Amino acid sequence: MSIVISNPPYNMKWQHPFFAQSQSRFDLGLPPENNANFAFVLSALDHSEKATFILPNAVLYTSNKDEFIVKKNLVDKNYLEAVISLPGNMFESTSIPTCILVFNKRKSHSYTQVIDLKGKETKEIRDQRGQYGKTNTNRVYKKELNVLSNDVIKEVLSVIESRKNEVGFTKSVSINDIKEQEYDLNPGKYIDTESVDNIHRPYEDIIKDLNRIIESKNGVKITINEKMAKDLEIYDLMQDFKQSKELNKNMNEMLKAVNPNLKIKKEDIAALSRNKEMKFEVKNFERVPEMIALFISMWKQFVMTLNNEENRLLVELRDALLPDLISGDIDVSQNEYDAKEDK
């Protein structure tokens, strides 16, 4: 039996081969040309009984119709054995959230094990080597990464085999369960949580994760002509940034009543222009190889992935704040937001 283990390049463009529809690897659907994530998966499963992929979280809840068809058929064919949501900041070159998809074409049951490893990670400091700007000066700097211990890895393998359920960690779900969630593979949709009144992660931890995502997004700023943005199909995304800025401002106003030292970083990632221009402003040289290499279409996919993670964290923060606001434990009526700080 052949087995594939792969961490392919994320969100890569590719071209449909001639007569793609007649190739057996695309019997479950033809992935879009602007994203080869599922093309890698289907190509592996065409030659192997089992495959394990590390992919960006966007594959779990993609809204692209062609990707959705592939994902739906993989579930309906009972090929998906496990979905593992990984902690962020696990890679040296990128901090985007990722997941592991485990496929098995010869399962003896019709369940998929969903696992959430957030909170199971440990911290590790590693030396990083790189160059600064256009100089050839080598430099060494420290970077904190999240890693999974051998014990955690053994636990994951055990729950996949035993198909156990554990509150807040894992659950065995049926194909019908996934259908009811419209094929959304985010483990958080299925894993049971303890029913406890207003228990949430510390605000400091939520803000730290949120700011980490924003820092990654702010690594490179793009300024682009409005018409060009529409032609490249990123105009709506640029508009989303405006709403995100306003939401961050409102969240910061509420956070002042919780702790004046807590603050969500400002986003400065994109700007629309009526001039005939498109320019990239590099603001974090440690992110240059990652962001520039992705360029326009991959930049779009990269930022959309971060947006999804940011939105999840903002919802988590909102849900944490609302009960305290309703109960009166947080009083924002006396707080005056200093708009100058956001100019």
Side-chain angles (χ1 to χ4, degrees), residues 318-331:
R318 181 203 63 192
D319 292 343
L321 285 167
L322 281 177
D324 289 338
L325 286 169
I326 294 172
S327 66
D329 291 340
I330 298 177
D331 182 8

Side-chain angles (χ1 to χ4, degrees), residues 65-331:
K65 64 179 182 179
D66 294 325
E67 289 184 325
F68 179 84
I69 290 172
V70 174
K71 182 175 65 170
K72 176 182 181 299
N73 287 332
L74 286 169
V75 172
D76 290 345
K77 277 283 189 179
N78 197 28
Y79 287 172
L80 188 58
E81 186 161 43
V83 177
I84 306 168
S85 180
L86 297 172
N89 200 34
M90 291 196 68
F91 296 92
E92 295 180 357
S93 60
T94 179
S95 61
I96 67 172
T98 55
C99 63
I100 297 177
L101 299 184
V102 181
F103 298 96
N104 183 355
K105 294 165 65 175
R106 295 191 178 277
K107 289 163 59 180
S108 60
H109 55 84
S110 58
Y111 290 87
T112 296
Q113 196 71 28
V114 295
I115 303 169
D116 188 354
L117 291 182
K118 295 182 183 68
K120 296 278 189 177
E121 71 276 12
T122 55
K123 305 294 183 182
E124 182 176 292
I125 304 296
R126 296 181 185 173
D127 286 342
Q128 302 291 297
R129 291 174 174 81
Q131 295 180 347
Y132 184 81
K134 296 181 179 180
T135 70
N136 293 320
T137 303
N138 290 329
R139 62 193 178 105
V140 178
Y141 59 94
K142 303 289 186 181
K143 185 171 184 179
E144 184 181 79
L145 297 172
N146 289 327
V147 298
L148 299 176
S149 67
N150 289 333
D151 288 340
V152 170
I153 294 172
K154 290 178 182 178
E155 186 178 14
V156 169
L157 295 175
S158 174
V159 299
I160 292 176
E161 183 177 354
S162 63
R163 303 200 303 276
K164 66 182 290 187
N165 297 327
E166 183 176 324
V167 173
F169 173 46
T170 185
K171 187 170 184 178
S172 183
V173 299
S174 67
I175 293 176
N176 284 334
D177 293 332
I178 298 176
K179 286 181 179 179
E180 290 177 0
Q181 294 295 338
E182 298 180 340
Y183 296 91
D184 188 332
L185 298 178
N186 186 354
K189 290 280 188 178
Y190 307 95
I191 296 174
D192 297 325
T193 57
E194 293 181 356
S195 179
V196 182
D197 293 337
N198 195 26
I199 297 297
H200 55 77
R201 284 199 298 156
Y203 290 119
E204 292 82 356
D205 292 347
I206 301 175
I207 300 302
K208 181 180 178 180
D209 285 346
L210 187 57
N211 283 339
R212 172 177 56 79
I213 295 297
I214 293 174
E215 285 176 357
S216 292
K217 291 171 65 177
N218 283 346
V220 172
K221 178 180 179 179
I222 180 174
T223 301
I224 188 171
N225 172 267
E226 289 186 1
K227 184 179 183 305
M228 190 182 300
K230 292 177 182 178
D231 292 342
L232 291 171
E233 299 182 351
I234 61 172
Y235 182 82
D236 291 342
L237 182 62
M238 307 288 275
Q239 296 297 324
D240 288 343
F241 294 143
K242 291 184 179 180
Q243 298 179 4
S244 182
K245 281 186 176 181
E246 187 63 28
L247 179 58
N248 284 6
K249 180 189 292 186
N250 294 335
M251 286 291 186
N252 273 327
E253 188 171 357
M254 287 190 287
L255 284 171
K256 280 190 171 182
V258 177
N259 184 340
N261 296 321
L262 290 178
K263 187 173 182 180
I264 303 172
K265 291 181 179 292
K266 291 187 294 183
E267 286 191 10
D268 188 21
I269 183 173
L272 290 171
S273 171
R274 295 187 177 180
N275 298 326
K276 293 183 177 180
E277 62 176 337
M278 181 178 68
K279 62 181 181 180
F280 288 91
E281 177 186 351
V282 178
K283 300 191 294 179
N284 183 343
F285 282 90
E286 292 180 12
R287 302 246 66 87
V288 171
E290 174 187 358
M291 293 294 283
I292 295 300
L294 292 173
F295 206 54
I296 290 294
S297 64
M298 291 189 176
W299 173 87
K300 173 185 174 182
Q301 293 291 334
F302 178 83
V303 173
M304 288 177 68
T305 300
L306 293 174
N307 276 352
N308 289 331
E309 182 69 2
E310 181 183 359
N311 289 338
R312 184 189 68 77
L313 289 165
L314 285 170
V315 169
E316 182 182 0
L317 178 59
R318 181 203 63 192
D319 292 343
L321 285 167
L322 281 177
D324 289 338
L325 286 169
I326 294 172
S327 66
D329 291 340
I330 298 177
D331 182 8

